[in-house]
Amino acid sequence: MASINEREEKILLNEEKIHPKLYANVSSDDIEWYLDNGASNHMIGYEPHFTEIDRAITGLVKFGDGSKVSIRGKGSIIFNCKNGEQRVVHDVYYIPDLYSNILNLGQLTEVVCKVWMASDHLWLYEDDDRLLMKVPRSLNRLYKIALTVGKPVCLLNSICDQAWL
């Protein structure tokens, strides 16, 4: 969307009759995400899920009904995959008043992901054609998936035998 300046950004969502408190975020590491093409960016309302966050990024998100909520940062979130690997999603807006988490499909395709939708499923692939997720379409025609938020892992190796150097 249109940027006001480097540090303040505007986003528009085209949803009507939003009742956010019905879908409030919880502090669990398994959280629901909507895979969406209507929003312009990844967004979440729960700060502890961020691995890193730049709180200098501010702005507003405007909904289709004219209501607005404030952006209070932008950062990265780590997800745990079922195979034990981790994936990092960058450029996620922190919006404290947002009660639904959104992964923007357009933003995912910018980082070389491929999206395929057919029948009643959405498939998201990495650039090497490895399947990242298969998401069923819900009765209200939305694609929603529970993802496990991960924590950064630091690996340390120490060599005591100088011959190995």
Side-chain angles (χ1 to χ4, degrees):
M1 268 307 134
S3 285
I4 296 173
N5 62 41
E6 263 185 46
R7 292 305 207 182
E8 188 169 327
E9 302 175 24
K10 282 188 179 178
I11 303 167
L12 298 176
L13 293 175
N14 295 317
E15 292 291 332
E16 293 183 21
K17 298 181 182 171
I18 304 274
H19 303 288
K21 290 191 179 4
L22 296 176
Y23 310 100
N25 281 305
V26 293
S27 60
S28 167
D29 287 339
D30 290 331
I31 58 172
E32 300 273 318
W33 289 83
Y34 289 94
L35 302 175
D36 188 33
N37 237 1
S40 55
N41 290 85
H42 307 312
M43 301 177 218
I44 187 171
Y46 190 68
E47 186 177 9
H49 288 314
F50 283 90
T51 304
E52 61 177 351
I53 188 167
D54 180 355
R55 291 183 129 298
I57 303 289
T58 61
L60 294 173
V61 175
K62 183 177 179 183
F63 294 97
D65 66 357
S67 64
K68 298 175 187 174
V69 292
S70 296
I71 298 168
R72 295 287 181 230
K74 185 178 183 181
S76 301
I77 297 177
I78 294 175
F79 292 108
N80 292 332
C81 301
K82 289 183 179 180
N83 66 0
E85 295 179 5
Q86 291 185 321
R87 295 291 181 274
V88 179
V89 176
H90 300 283
D91 299 324
V92 181
Y93 284 108
Y94 169 50
I95 302 169
D97 293 328
L98 188 68
Y99 293 98
S100 296
N101 307 306
I102 298 170
L103 286 175
N104 177 261
L105 293 173
Q107 201 172 346
L108 290 172
T109 61
E110 288 178 352
V111 292
V112 202
C113 285
K114 299 173 189 170
V115 177
W116 185 50
M117 297 168 67
S119 182
D120 58 352
H121 283 85
L122 178 147
W123 290 265
L124 185 66
Y125 294 93
E126 290 187 281
D127 60 341
D128 61 0
D129 292 330
R130 286 194 306 161
L131 181 65
L132 280 173
M133 61 181 74
K134 178 182 176 185
V135 185
R137 185 180 61 225
S138 65
L139 294 176
N140 60 358
R141 289 185 239 124
L142 296 174
Y143 296 92
K144 182 171 70 170
I145 187 167
L147 298 174
T148 303
V149 175
K151 305 288 183 229
V153 177
C154 180
L155 302 174
L156 175 66
N157 193 2
S158 176
I159 298 177
C160 296
D161 185 354
Q162 293 295 318
W164 283 100
L165 295 176

